Amino acid sequence: MRSHNAALVLDLLRTAGREGISRLELAERTGLTPQAVSKITARLRTEGLAADAGRRASTGGKPATVLRLVPEAAHAIGLHLDRDELTAVLLDLAGERVAERRTPLDLGAGAEPVLAAVRAEVAALLPGGASGGTRPGGGAGGAVLGAGFLGVGVPGTGAPGTSVLGVGVAMPGPLDHRAGTPGRVTGFPQWDGFPLRDELARRLGLPVVLDKDTNAAALGLALRPGAPGSFAYVHLGTGLGAGLVLGGAVLRGGRTGAGELGHQTVQLDGPPCDCGGRGCLEVLCLAALARGDLDGAARVLGTGAANLVRLLDVDRVLLGGRAVLAAPEVFARGTREVLAGLALPADVAVATAPHAVAEGAAQLILAPVFGNRPSGFGGEPPTVGQ
């Protein structure tokens, strides 16, 4: 209960922004007693998560003290493991990106090179990392970074450096988000069953959450102010997939299989796909891209979006991913034309955030701090403001 109430207060501090919010308003909006709010805010101030933001004029009595969130008090790392690139971001408590890195990656090289690349990028992302700070445990392989490594502190302890709550990792599916293991990633079956979440947690010395790239992006988009309660996020990059948000929650399915849009068969006698099927949306769309037929790729993408609209009755489709962002107008127009031709009344827009997947991965860590636990994940939220 203490954790839940602290999350309620933290969420209101976050949404209040720099202008802040008074304890009286916190009590009114949370339904907590003023005494409970005072105890919670006192702990948050002690832990450096909240601070005074001045005083607000009162209609009677002394002016009310206004509190605000301290965004730099804690951070989360988000990683996007794509088939050919690794993107790493560092978000503060307010969800603002304060650092980012991108580097080439060969997901097919196997676990050890990928884990080594992740470890190096996480180290370089944090203050002091680029200059090569000392590494507890030394050298290569399975050495553990841990708290205090290259500026990683622990919230509420007074430890120096950047306090990191954990690492969210997003990669192509299929995967099992509960077990923290990839499945037979299209084109890279060697990842099937590898304990990626647990191995990264051991090497980094930080909590790790694993999810599909499309789910992470959808989560990040769903948490933005003014986001619709239900929408389909359609991602076209090195692969094709979808993240589905229904009633404000990401739909993952029993085996994290929801949203595998790229492997819907739309041409029974079509070209073979690495998934084992034929005529999949992904193989047709990527083939059109490879031959420079952007309009054709947009029509294929629009066909997949139309299937989602018909199946889920969503009224908004967001397009994203590297290929879409390279030609946003083409893909938005092509998708709208397909939907209009089928008389499907769904709005189409492009999610222009260049690091939507990596930032969404970081939100896998941040969201529970504010009481927004992603559906399908168990366990306790990060220990902030307990």
Side-chain angles (χ1 to χ4, degrees):
M1 181 61 71
R2 290 175 60 194
S3 174
H4 172 72
N5 291 341
L8 292 177
V9 171
L10 278 168
D11 191 43
L12 288 173
L13 290 171
R14 178 180 61 87
T15 55
R18 294 185 178 182
E19 293 184 1
I21 185 171
S22 70
R23 292 180 180 83
L24 179 59
E25 290 172 303
L26 288 170
E28 291 174 345
R29 297 188 190 184
T30 60
L32 299 172
T33 66
Q35 294 83 359
V37 168
S38 292
K39 290 181 180 179
I40 291 171
T41 55
R43 288 201 306 273
L44 296 178
R45 292 178 64 185
T46 299
E47 295 174 2
L49 298 167
D52 289 348
R55 292 182 178 272
R56 184 175 297 166
S58 175
T59 56
K62 64 180 182 180
T65 300
V66 178
L67 299 173
R68 65 172 179 86
L69 183 73
V70 180
E72 62 273 20
H75 300 76
I77 293 171
L79 302 176
H80 179 193
L81 302 184
D82 209 345
R83 291 173 173 85
D84 61 356
E85 185 178 71
L86 168 60
T87 301
V89 300
L90 184 70
L91 301 191
D92 65 18
L93 272 181
E96 295 296 323
R97 187 170 71 248
V98 297
E100 65 181 79
R101 289 182 61 85
R102 294 171 62 190
T103 189
L105 179 75
D106 180 6
L107 195 61
E112 191 56 45
V114 170
L115 291 171
V118 167
R119 185 179 185 277
E121 288 304 296
V122 167
L125 186 70
L126 299 168
S131 60
T134 59
R135 302 189 179 193
V144 178
L145 304 190
F149 171 75
L150 296 180
V152 181
V154 179
T157 66
T162 300
S163 297
V164 177
L165 300 174
V167 181
V169 181
M171 68 181 296
L175 58 78
D176 185 334
H177 71 278
R178 291 187 178 89
T181 58
R184 293 181 61 83
V185 179
T186 306
F188 305 106
Q190 65 268 36
W191 282 100
D192 189 15
F194 181 79
L196 179 60
R197 180 194 62 199
D198 294 346
E199 184 59 23
L200 276 178
R202 186 185 73 81
R203 296 191 184 205
L204 298 177
L206 291 166
V208 174
V209 176
L210 176 68
D211 204 354
K212 285 199 304 187
D213 48 8
T214 50
N215 288 344
L219 173 66
L221 294 169
L223 292 174
R224 294 188 175 187
S230 298
F231 63 88
Y233 168 74
V234 180
H235 182 97
L236 178 61
T238 59
L240 193 161
L244 310 174
V245 175
L246 301 178
V250 176
L251 175 66
R252 291 180 171 81
R255 295 171 297 278
T256 330
E260 287 293 329
L261 178 67
H263 300 292
Q264 284 189 350
T265 298
V266 292
Q267 184 179 341
L268 292 176
D269 59 348
C273 177
D274 287 339
C275 74
R278 300 187 70 91
C280 294
L281 277 166
E282 180 175 290
V283 72
L284 295 174
C285 201
L286 293 180
L289 284 176
R291 61 177 181 267
D293 182 7
L294 291 181
D295 289 331
R299 286 192 297 272
V300 175
L301 195 70
T303 299
N307 288 345
L308 288 177
V309 172
R310 280 172 162 161
L311 182 65
L312 301 174
D313 197 26
V314 293
D315 54 13
R316 189 165 180 80
V317 175
L318 296 177
L319 307 178
R322 189 189 311 174
V324 169
L325 294 182
E329 294 181 2
V330 173
F331 283 97
R333 182 181 65 248
T335 301
R336 291 189 188 108
E337 289 175 353
V338 172
L339 293 176
L342 297 171
L344 295 173
D347 294 331
V348 177
V350 174
T352 57
H355 305 311
V357 173
E359 293 187 14
Q363 288 291 352
L364 291 167
I365 300 295
L366 289 178
V369 173
F370 302 102
N372 301 311
R373 176 166 296 284
S375 61
F377 287 92
E380 291 299 316
T383 54
V384 173
Q386 295 298 303

